Amino acid sequence: MKRQKRECSEPSNPFDVLSEEIIFLVLDLLEQNPLDKKAFSLVCKSIYATESKHRKTLRPLRQEFLPAILSRYPYVSHLDLTLCARVSDASLSSISNACPSNLRSIDFSQSRLLSSSGLLGLAVNCKNLVEINLSNGTELKDSAMAAIAEARNLEKLWLARCKSITDMGVGCVAVGCKKLKLLSLKWCLGVGDLGVGLVAVKCKEIRCLDLSYLPITNKCLPSILNLQYLEDLVLEGCFGIDDDSLGGLKHRCKSLKSLDMSSCQNISHSGLSSLISGTEGLQQLTLAYGSPVTAAFADGLKKLSMLQSIKLDGSLITCDGLKSIADWCISLRELSLSKCPGVTDEGLSSVLTKRRDLRKLDITCCRKITDASIAYIANLCNSLTSLKMESCTLISREAFVLIGQQCHSLEELDLTDNEIDDEGLKSISRCSKLSTLKLGICLNITDEGLIHVGRTCSKLKELDLYRSVGITDLGILEVARGCRDLEMINVAYCKEITDASLLLLSKCSHLRTFESRGCPLISSFGLTAIAVGCKQLTKLDIKKCHNIDDNGMLQLAHFSQNLRQINLSYSSVTDVGLLSLASISCLQNITILHLKGLTPNGLAAALLACRGLTKVKLQSAFKWSLPQPIFEHLEARGCIFQWRDKVLQAELDPKCWKLKLEDTEVE
């Protein structure tokens, strides 16, 4: 009898005795894969209930799921609706009613057809809302801004590319949302000096302000620079601001830490000096595609002793300009000179000699530097964590050995389109901290060099081998064995890659992006292995993989439930395979060009069945072979169609392809 009572008192499920805190800790460890978290929540009723309290962020696939999801997770504070192409008033009402007090952040940046009445209900009911992202809301008008103005506690608002709003709408936001600390108005072409001036006058707590490509002039600048707490100011592409307007400024923004004046063609060193005068605390300065960087320009940086990052991409740079930067920027940690004509060994060495504490250096397409610069980098900048040097065509094979010998702190290395060979790659493999390695269009490397990378760079997460045609299954074997945390790999146009590589890569369970276009030896058998082993796969490119057919699609449909983007062009997929993908509820973006087995009826059925699609790229011929109401229906659901007339082209030999690319760049 006693034994029977003891048995009755013991819990039927051992998980029931776990405290809420312990279950929370377990759920924290399952954040990376939502499917794992879902499986764990189904263990027992107590964990199922606790999981609903633990989850604070939701990213629903479609708006029709919102009522049920919000009922299941009443404590959500951040709602990401970027997968919902369209959000109706009914959905906004569900959100307002389900979490009026808990919701603090909501992201509509990929959603369209939002109405002002729906936004008004959200702003009025969700009193604790502090962040709203409405970027890309090209249909939003001033009435929508008036609705947003009712969110009195709002601190962060993104309105990038809301091209239909005007000064009046922004003025409503400025008056209603006085607690704003971040505001992005990038590409809001209807907003000018009046709207920006109102923001500066009414929103005194602004920290970050993005005014990129606005038609503003000097009229609103005094008010902006008078903001007491402004730290991050972006004036990229503001062509209405020039030296004359900056020269007369009396206000100085002493709190400014980051300034971006890229593509401001009307501002020279004199205007820049006027703007940054008094901003001794500036830490980041971005002047890409701007005026020439001369000694006079660099002299304007004299007082910026705390400047850590300078980005000059695409600007003409003189040797004296780089020397002056080296002299005055004593705290420099990041220097970006991507596509800067004028960068030479002499100028670059002057920076490297004096600023040995550089952490990030970008010399992409600096085609005048030679092995001498690489020697300076290797010998003087041992603390580099990021080095980008794509298409540095004068650097010889031998120079890359130096990088591997000295720069052991590297975490990111871009050697795309360079002369590195296996000896250089063997040396690079000593950089055991590498997480990103780009070796695209490196025609001199083979498996011999890649094997060393696979054996020693165990932290590698991204590997780009695009058109590096010397790579075969042998090299991929070592990468798959040694780099189990791999999240992205690109083997496009590595024509010797077979299903054997895919079988090995299927062991990399964290793989999210797999690009294998132009690999004719890959078949549905290999793709099945990827689908089964890599459950977190979100992006797949199998263009020109002619041996992949419906069998591969059926396996993807069954196992790859996280897949969001796929390119099927030039494969052997037919109506059956395409239709099977409808079971992948996450699928949003699909490219379908030159599928010989695809019929208009099959395409129509697949498009209607894939309810989450937001972007579809199709051959133009289908535009006239399908009923127009189908496209109207899909567009009403939020899907965008891109039409292509591209004809079928023969594949070039890699070396011929590279020569053709270089000729195009010269032209």
Side-chain angles (χ1 to χ4, degrees):
M1 190 70 175
K2 289 182 179 179
R3 182 179 178 183
Q4 190 175 8
K5 283 185 178 179
R6 195 183 306 118
E7 288 177 354
C8 291
S9 63
E10 290 177 357
S12 58
N13 191 323
F15 288 101
D16 288 333
V17 301
L18 296 178
S19 67
E20 193 173 86
E21 290 77 12
I22 292 176
I23 296 175
F24 274 19
L25 290 173
V26 174
L27 290 168
D28 287 339
L29 297 173
L30 300 176
E31 286 292 343
Q32 286 191 344
N33 191 348
L35 294 179
D36 289 343
K37 183 182 286 189
K38 183 178 180 181
F40 181 69
S41 71
L42 297 176
V43 169
C44 64
K45 290 181 179 180
S46 61
I47 292 181
Y48 185 80
T50 304
E51 197 264 339
S52 70
K53 298 178 183 178
H54 175 269
R55 185 168 299 213
K56 297 295 186 290
T57 299
L58 284 179
R59 196 182 189 196
L61 298 173
R62 294 196 290 274
Q63 65 167 342
E64 52 263 38
F65 298 155
L66 275 171
I69 293 175
L70 293 173
S71 175
R72 165 83 174 97
Y73 299 105
Y75 300 97
V76 63
S77 59
H78 173 66
L79 194 54
D80 183 347
L81 298 175
T82 54
L83 297 180
C84 301
R86 182 178 181 179
V87 180
S88 65
D89 287 351
S91 295
L92 290 174
S93 179
S94 296
I95 296 169
S96 302
N97 295 328
C99 39
S101 58
N102 294 319
L103 191 64
R104 295 180 57 81
S105 171
I106 191 163
D107 189 344
F108 295 110
S109 60
Q110 300 299 322
S111 307
R112 289 178 290 281
L113 306 178
L114 295 164
S115 75
S116 55
S117 59
L119 290 172
L120 178 61
L122 183 74
V124 170
N125 292 326
C126 299
K127 300 292 186 181
N128 294 319
L129 202 57
V130 294
E131 296 183 13
I132 300 179
N133 192 339
L134 291 167
S135 297
N136 305 306
T138 53
E139 78 287 349
L140 294 177
K141 309 290 184 183
D142 288 339
S143 57
M145 295 302 101
I148 292 299
E150 296 299 320
R152 305 298 185 185
N153 292 314
L154 203 61
E155 296 180 4
K156 296 181 180 181
L157 177 61
W158 290 268
L159 298 172
R161 298 179 190 85
C162 293
K163 299 180 180 181
S164 298
I165 65 174
T166 69
D167 290 331
M168 184 176 294
V170 172
C172 291
V173 171
V175 172
C177 306
K178 294 182 180 180
K179 295 182 180 180
L180 273 181
K181 295 180 180 179
L182 180 151
L183 178 62
S184 174
L185 296 171
K186 184 175 184 178
W187 284 111
C188 293
L189 302 180
V191 179
D193 291 321
L194 178 60
V196 174
L198 282 170
V199 169
V201 171
K202 297 293 183 179
C203 304
K204 296 294 187 182
E205 297 185 30
I206 286 281
R207 265 77 167 169
C208 302
L209 188 59
D210 189 345
L211 306 175
S212 301
Y213 299 99
L214 264 59
I216 57 174
T217 66
N218 62 312
K219 292 180 180 179
C220 65
L221 282 180
S223 299
I224 295 172
L225 298 178
N226 202 34
L227 287 166
Q228 186 177 355
Y229 304 107
L230 186 63
E231 297 180 353
D232 186 352
L233 177 60
V234 184
L235 297 172
E236 179 181 358
C238 292
F239 305 114
I241 300 175
D242 55 25
D243 287 345
D244 293 337
S245 61
L246 293 174
L249 290 176
K250 296 180 181 179
H251 300 281
R252 297 292 182 265
C253 192
K254 296 181 180 180
S255 59
L256 204 62
K257 294 182 179 180
S258 176
L259 175 63
D260 186 345
M261 298 194 69
S262 301
S263 303
C264 290
Q265 302 290 345
N266 298 322
I267 298 177
S268 68
H269 66 275
S270 61
L272 179 65
S273 297
S274 299
L275 183 59
I276 63 177
S277 177
T279 59
E280 284 82 3
L282 199 67
Q283 297 177 8
Q284 298 180 18
L285 182 60
T286 304
L287 301 167
Y289 300 96
S291 298
V293 180
T294 61
F297 162 89
D299 286 344
L301 309 180
K302 283 183 181 180
K303 297 181 180 180
L304 303 180
S305 59
M306 298 179 67
L307 194 62
Q308 298 180 12
S309 172
I310 302 179
K311 297 180 181 179
L312 304 168
D313 302 354
S315 300
L316 177 62
I317 293 183
T318 66
C319 185
D320 289 338
L322 279 177
K323 288 180 179 178
S324 295
I325 288 174
D327 290 335
W328 301 122
C329 302
I330 59 175
S331 300
L332 196 63
R333 296 292 183 273
E334 179 179 3
L335 179 61
S336 185
L337 304 172
S338 175
K339 301 178 183 178
C340 290
V343 177
T344 62
D345 289 335
E346 182 183 358
L348 189 57
S349 63
S350 64
V351 176
L352 300 174
T353 302
K354 294 183 178 180
R355 301 295 155 234
R356 302 187 180 193
D357 289 332
L358 274 179
R359 297 293 189 272
K360 296 182 179 182
L361 178 63
D362 189 345
I363 48 176
T364 297
C365 296
C366 292
R367 302 182 189 277
K368 294 181 180 180
I369 63 172
T370 67
D371 293 6
S373 288
I374 302 304
Y376 276 105
I377 292 172
N379 294 323
L380 302 178
C381 300
N382 303 137
S383 299
L384 271 182
T385 60
S386 174
L387 176 59
K388 298 178 181 180
M389 48 181 296
E390 176 183 345
S391 299
C392 293
T393 50
L394 294 183
I395 295 175
S396 70
R397 303 182 184 189
E398 293 73 23
F400 296 99
V401 176
L402 294 175
I403 296 175
Q405 290 175 344
Q406 302 292 336
C407 302
H408 295 160
S409 296
L410 280 174
E411 298 173 10
E412 179 182 23
L413 181 59
D414 186 351
L415 301 177
T416 303
D417 190 19
N418 275 295
E419 294 299 314
I420 184 173
D421 60 7
D422 288 336
E423 282 301 312
L425 202 51
K426 179 180 179 181
S427 181
I428 294 295
S429 69
R430 300 180 188 179
C431 305
S432 58
K433 296 181 181 179
L434 276 175
S435 62
T436 299
L437 180 59
K438 296 185 178 182
L439 299 168
I441 325 177
C442 292
L443 304 182
N444 299 318
I445 63 171
T446 68
D447 294 331
E448 183 181 345
L450 190 61
I451 285 172
H452 292 284
V453 172
R455 289 175 178 173
T456 57
C457 300
S458 59
K459 297 181 180 179
L460 204 62
K461 293 186 177 181
E462 295 185 22
L463 178 61
D464 188 350
L465 298 168
Y466 174 78
R467 287 190 184 271
S468 293
V469 293
I471 302 300
T472 72
D473 293 335
L474 292 176
I476 301 300
L477 166 64
E478 291 300 330
V479 170
R481 282 177 175 171
C483 310
R484 288 302 174 92
D485 291 330
L486 204 64
E487 295 178 3
M488 176 272 183
I489 186 167
N490 186 345
V491 292
Y493 299 104
C494 296
K495 296 191 174 183
E496 299 301 315
I497 298 294
T498 72
D499 287 340
S501 288
L502 276 64
L503 289 171
L504 297 165
L505 289 170
S506 68
K507 307 300 181 184
C508 301
S509 58
H510 299 291
L511 196 66
R512 297 176 182 273
T513 300
F514 181 60
E515 300 186 38
S516 61
R517 69 165 60 186
C519 295
L521 302 181
I522 289 177
S523 73
S524 294
F525 178 71
L527 184 60
T528 297
I530 292 289
V532 173
C534 307
K535 297 291 197 308
Q536 297 186 44
L537 193 69
T538 59
K539 181 180 178 182
L540 177 65
D541 188 344
I542 50 174
K543 177 180 178 180
K544 296 186 178 179
C545 294
H546 308 295
N547 289 321
I548 291 181
D549 54 21
D550 293 340
N551 289 328
M553 297 303 101
L554 292 170
Q555 301 307 315
L556 281 177
H558 185 69
F559 294 104
S560 300
Q561 288 300 307
N562 286 316
L563 192 65
R564 290 193 171 89
Q565 180 176 336
I566 187 170
N567 188 339
L568 300 172
S569 302
Y570 303 89
S571 67
S572 298
V573 176
T574 70
D575 296 346
V576 175
L578 188 61
L579 185 58
S580 70
L581 297 180
S583 65
I584 304 177
S585 55
C586 287
L587 191 61
Q588 286 188 295
N589 189 326
I590 187 166
T591 301
I592 317 166
L593 301 176
H594 293 289
L595 289 187
K596 294 181 179 179
L598 185 62
T599 67
N601 289 338
L603 175 61
L607 292 177
L608 291 171
C610 295
R611 297 186 57 82
L613 288 178
T614 59
K615 184 183 292 185
V616 178
K617 190 179 292 185
L618 285 172
Q619 204 70 22
S620 294
F622 284 113
K623 190 173 185 179
W624 316 114
S625 59
L626 291 179
Q628 193 62 29
I630 289 180
F631 297 119
E632 293 173 356
H633 172 73
L634 292 168
E635 287 170 351
R637 285 196 329 207
C639 185
I640 295 174
F641 287 91
Q642 295 181 346
W643 302 100
R644 294 291 181 269
D645 286 318
K646 190 174 181 181
V647 296
L648 188 63
Q649 295 178 335
E651 184 63 33
L652 291 173
D653 175 83
K655 293 183 178 179
C656 294
W657 176 87
K658 186 175 179 180
L659 290 172
K660 184 178 179 181
L661 180 64
E662 291 172 352
D663 290 341
T664 303
E665 291 177 350
V666 170
E667 291 173 3

